[in-house]
Amino acid sequence: MSSAAREIVPGSLFQGKYRVEHVLGEGGMGVVVAATHVTLGQKVAIKFLRGAGAMKSEVIERFVREARAAARIQGRHVAKVIDVGADDRGLPYMVMEWLEGKNLHERMLERGGHMAPGEY
């Protein structure tokens, strides 16, 4: 885990307003955590870039394009992007609405590995 990702630990305060609860998932390029906006009491998901690529301009540009594209998508199965920015070290992050539910893998396991088209 990168030094930046290590600082995103449960109980820590991010950007002075989001209390980190736990890690939701990790990949090669980033980590997503569950957090709560401390003033609003609103639960959110925050995606962080990490690793050596996180500071490369082309990676940051791609991350910002992803945030813009996601902000334009409207649908009940797509998390709305609430905010995007960089922390005081310049590491990009994206704040998204919290969606309750199961991921595709969990849904597939419930159905014995198969889902009909249009089933969700």
Side-chain angles (χ1 to χ4, degrees), residues 90-110:
L91 293 169
Y93 67 89
M94 183 186 322
V95 181
M96 299 167 285
E97 79 172 311
W98 178 261
L99 294 178
E100 291 287 339
K102 296 177 181 175
N103 65 38
L104 180 59
H105 179 70
E106 291 168 333
R107 298 281 299 212
M108 298 276 296
L109 288 176
E110 289 176 348

Side-chain angles (χ1 to χ4, degrees), residues 6 45 57:
R6 239 179 273 125
S57 62

Side-chain angles (χ1 to χ4, degrees), residues 72-86:
R72 286 192 284 268
I73 298 172
Q74 303 295 313
R76 67 184 187 139
H77 302 291
V78 179
K80 292 179 182 132
V81 174
I82 298 167
D83 191 16
V84 65

